[in-house]
Amino acid sequence: MRLLAVRASDRHRGLRPIVGSAAIAQELTRLEPMAAKSIRVLQPQYGYDPEDPGVPLTRLACSRGVEFELITRPATVATHPLLSSIFPGTLLGPCFLRAVVIDESAALVGGVDDADGNRVSWFTDASALVDAVTDLWLATVPRCEPILGPGEKPPLTERQLEVAGLICLGEKDDAIARAVSVSLRTAEREV
């Protein structure tokens, strides 16, 4: 964070502020096609949001063979009870920095919220910053435990996850049945 602050105050090339949740989502959408090998995410607090753009973006990257790794705090399991089904490879451990590292060549690093309460992140391709976040990632992994135990399967299927998202959006059983192309009885059972 200190390195980020110094570079930001110098208006360093290779460092660009991204202000507000919508702008951060747009930046993640811009970055997703750049990922060719790996996406490493540090996310201290992660609550469930059925409209989180990060989930479909991550799945899109993974469908291209990109390796996705997420580290979050153990307390996240309480605020995001579906996490082990959405990202079963999640690691739980000490995490204090919001960051996404793409192919160890670019990063989006969380900063301090602005005076209006908007979330602020910084895009960088400056090797010193990307290397610092990557080093933090590598130092954190050995201190983590997997969210699922050995041989444990995610608790929900893909369809059940889709149903859970629709429930969170306030959809009723008949609308859920239509959305996931199942009978009303099946939708009721899934709910």
Side-chain angles (χ1 to χ4, degrees), residues 12-79:
H12 190 270
R13 258 190 36 211
L15 187 63
R16 182 170 40 87
I18 313 294
V19 180
S21 296
I24 292 169
Q26 186 176 11
E27 184 70 6
L28 290 170
T29 301
R30 183 187 76 79
L31 294 173
E32 184 278 326
M34 293 173 50
K37 296 180 292 183
S38 66
I39 299 172
R40 293 178 169 162
V41 178
L42 292 162
Q43 184 74 356
Q45 298 171 322
Y46 195 2
Y48 178 67
D49 177 357
E51 297 177 310
D52 176 3
V55 174
L57 289 172
T58 300
R59 290 191 170 170
L60 182 59
C62 290
S63 74
R64 295 193 327 271
V66 175
E67 182 182 3
F68 172 77
E69 299 173 289
L70 167 66
I71 296 175
T72 189
R73 291 180 184 157
T76 295
V77 175
T79 59

Side-chain angles (χ1 to χ4, degrees), residues 105-121:
S105 62
L108 192 61
V109 182
V112 178
D113 292 353
D114 71 8
D116 296 322
N118 295 306
R119 181 172 266 187
V120 176
S121 288

Side-chain angles (χ1 to χ4, degrees), residues 80-162:
H80 195 329
L82 303 180
L83 186 61
S84 63
S85 293
I86 296 171
F87 298 129
T90 297
L91 296 174
L92 303 175
C95 185
F96 60 88
L97 177 71
R98 282 184 297 116
V100 177
V101 179
I102 298 169
D103 294 341
E104 297 182 19
S105 62
L108 192 61
V109 182
V112 178
D113 292 353
D114 71 8
D116 296 322
N118 295 306
R119 181 172 266 187
V120 176
S121 288
W122 295 84
F123 169 79
T124 185
D125 56 8
S127 60
L129 287 169
V130 175
D131 291 350
V133 177
T134 300
D135 290 347
L136 177 63
W137 168 273
L138 294 171
T140 304
V141 169
R143 294 170 172 80
C144 294
E145 297 289 330
I147 194 168
L148 295 175
E152 190 177 356
K153 299 227 183 273
L156 300 180
T157 65
E158 285 299 315
R159 184 170 72 200
Q160 289 169 334
L161 280 172
E162 189 175 359

